[in-house]
Amino acid sequence: MKKWQKTTLIIISGYISYYTSYILFKLLALNEQTIVVISTLIGLFPLILYIFVIRKMIKKENEEVSKSSIKIQELNKLNEKYHFKRITKKKHNIIDREYSRKSLERVTGSSIIKYHIENNIDLIRTDIENAIYNIDLLEEYTKEVDKIINYKSKNKTNYSSKKFQKIENRVLNDSIHKRKEFLIKLKLEVYYRSNAGKVNETRYGNYSFEDLVKLYKEWQNGNKYEETIKQERKIMNDDIRYNVLKRDNFTCKLCGISAKDGAKLHVDHIIPVSKGGKTVMSNLQTLCDRCNMGKSNKMEDYSSKNSMICPDCGGKLIERKGKYGIFIGCSNYPKCHYKKSKK
């Protein structure tokens, strides 16, 4: 019997059961509402019975074909070999409330999501990491599956070859891991509501798996960048500081002021750590506190750049950073107070 024939038979059986029971209960003079409820349940009984029988039959077919099919057996072994990580939620929802209209305008969806990723709120970071791992693993898994699909199974059941193949394909399709199983989506809702409740503004955003991976990698790279900076700064110790100061004769490499002049000396990274500089002797130099403050995290060589001569004392003019910003000042400060604004 074909599917449409089975469906038609079930519908007809349901109608017959419903109207038969309806007429019967009507003759018994029962309440109208009670009659409708009971008749509906009786009418649905053939459908429920059919579903139960069909499910049991499908399970039996699957088991029989699985015992005979080499493809299914090999796929089961493959699924045991590849351990895909569990995704807790395929669709995440983030609802964020802002307490002013300005913050609502200023806040970005990416910053909110990165915050949730960083703190692993609702296991979102775990799910993204697991999904990335699973999809990377899926490439290798798919190649193995393609090989298995080409195997030829022998029909040792009582089913026809056509039916055997149909059941086999159904079982395989249900058992093969697919990419869509691991794709995560996210819906973002950011809203502002005034205390009086008169102002209500809401913004929505939908993020695909690709969007989430991009944001995750941005967060990850930023995290690694901060960790690298911390690590490089930890390398600096008293021995390295002393060796650099001794090599530079305890003299500022930019302005020439020394410890004998009462200068407070620092060991500076020529290429700043924030720009990829390493804590090695070749990348370290001695600077006084003023030159170090003026240089900040710049990579310029002020000794060659600022070759201007101070008109008051003949010293070098260098860039300095003061209360009101960067200015040109004499390297012999505090002996010389010459300064001018930077143009």
Side-chain angles (χ1 to χ4, degrees):
M1 191 180 286
K2 293 182 180 179
K3 271 188 179 180
W4 69 269
Q5 291 173 329
K6 289 178 184 177
T7 307
T8 307
L9 185 64
I10 291 162
I11 292 168
I12 292 168
S13 302
Y15 272 113
I16 292 168
S17 301
Y18 174 80
Y19 283 110
T20 305
S21 57
Y22 183 85
I23 293 163
L24 180 64
F25 291 127
K26 195 80 173 173
L27 293 171
L28 294 171
L30 292 175
N31 183 279
E32 182 70 25
Q33 193 174 358
T34 307
I35 292 170
V36 171
V37 171
I38 296 171
S39 300
T40 303
L41 291 172
I42 292 170
L44 289 171
F45 180 74
L47 178 62
I48 295 164
L49 184 65
Y50 173 75
I51 291 168
F52 176 76
V53 170
I54 286 295
R55 286 188 70 178
K56 200 169 182 180
M57 187 178 72
I58 288 170
K59 188 179 178 182
K60 187 182 176 183
E61 288 175 350
N62 291 351
E63 286 174 356
E64 287 179 5
V65 171
S66 296
K67 288 176 184 177
S68 179
S69 171
I70 297 171
K71 291 182 184 180
I72 295 170
Q73 290 169 12
E74 289 299 317
L75 183 63
N76 289 337
K77 289 177 185 177
L78 188 69
N79 286 340
E80 288 176 8
K81 178 184 172 183
Y82 284 86
H83 298 286
F84 291 97
K85 293 185 177 180
R86 181 173 168 265
I87 307 293
T88 57
K89 276 186 185 179
K90 288 185 71 177
K91 191 169 183 180
H92 283 264
N93 291 297
I94 295 176
I95 300 173
D96 183 74
R97 181 179 181 180
E98 298 298 321
Y99 291 91
S100 69
R101 295 181 79 174
K102 282 186 178 179
S103 63
L104 181 67
E105 291 170 5
R106 189 170 59 247
V107 76
T108 60
S110 58
S111 63
I112 294 170
I113 294 168
K114 283 179 186 177
Y115 173 79
H116 278 70
I117 289 171
E118 184 172 355
N119 294 283
N120 202 19
I121 297 171
D122 206 17
L123 295 176
I124 186 169
R125 187 174 77 234
T126 304
D127 280 348
I128 293 171
E129 287 172 349
N130 288 352
I132 292 169
Y133 171 84
N134 289 345
I135 287 169
D136 289 341
L137 191 64
L138 196 67
E139 291 181 17
E140 189 181 336
Y141 171 82
T142 306
K143 289 176 184 176
E144 296 286 337
V145 169
D146 291 339
K147 291 177 185 176
I148 291 170
I149 296 298
N150 293 324
Y151 292 170
K152 289 184 179 179
S153 299
K154 290 181 180 179
N155 183 5
K156 296 177 183 178
T157 63
N158 296 324
Y159 303 120
S160 65
S161 298
K162 190 176 180 181
K163 188 172 183 180
F164 176 86
Q165 193 174 2
K166 185 181 177 182
I167 297 167
E168 185 184 51
N169 290 337
R170 182 178 68 204
V171 175
L172 288 170
N173 190 52
D174 291 341
S175 303
I176 293 170
H177 292 289
K178 300 173 186 70
R179 192 173 187 271
K180 64 181 181 180
E181 292 176 38
F182 312 121
L183 297 183
I184 302 167
K185 293 180 181 179
L186 185 141
K187 186 179 180 181
L188 177 67
E189 181 183 334
V190 187
Y191 72 94
Y192 162 69
R193 186 176 294 121
S194 63
N195 293 330
K198 292 181 179 179
V199 181
N200 285 295
E201 288 186 27
T202 308
R203 293 180 182 178
Y204 299 95
N206 291 301
Y207 294 81
S208 65
F209 176 69
E210 288 72 21
D211 296 331
L212 293 175
V213 170
K214 186 181 176 183
L215 290 171
Y216 170 78
K217 286 182 177 177
E218 284 177 10
W219 167 81
Q220 194 179 43
N221 292 335
N223 215 32
K224 284 180 181 176
Y225 171 74
E226 288 174 8
E227 286 297 321
T228 303
I229 291 175
K230 286 178 184 177
Q231 197 63 34
E232 284 299 324
R233 295 198 187 282
K234 279 182 182 178
I235 295 170
M236 181 70 77
N237 56 38
D238 292 338
D239 288 337
I240 294 173
R241 283 192 184 91
Y242 178 76
N243 289 331
V244 173
L245 292 168
K246 187 179 178 182
R247 182 197 65 190
D248 296 339
N249 296 318
F250 297 92
T251 304
C252 176
K253 295 292 283 182
L254 293 185
C255 68
I257 195 169
S258 68
K260 292 177 182 178
D261 301 318
K264 189 177 180 181
L265 300 176
H266 298 268
V267 174
D268 169 69
H269 289 83
I270 297 169
I271 300 172
V273 173
S274 61
K275 294 182 179 177
K278 301 292 181 183
T279 306
V280 292
M281 291 293 287
S282 58
N283 191 47
L284 298 172
Q285 64 180 348
T286 303
L287 294 182
C288 67
D289 55 348
R290 289 183 175 275
C291 290
N292 193 29
M293 190 181 291
K295 178 180 177 291
S296 186
N297 68 337
K298 301 181 188 71
M299 293 172 64
E300 291 90 351
D301 182 4
Y302 290 103
S303 59
S304 59
K305 184 179 177 181
N306 300 299
S307 56
M308 296 182 290
I309 305 299
C310 174
D312 291 354
C313 69
K316 287 184 180 179
L317 294 180
I318 60 171
E319 283 186 5
R320 292 191 180 281
K321 190 174 182 181
K323 185 178 179 181
Y324 301 103
I326 297 171
F327 65 94
I328 304 296
C330 182
S331 60
N332 291 329
Y333 180 87
K335 292 179 181 179
C336 178
H337 289 270
Y338 177 83
K339 63 180 178 180
K340 66 175 183 177
S341 62
K342 184 183 176 183
K343 293 180 181 179

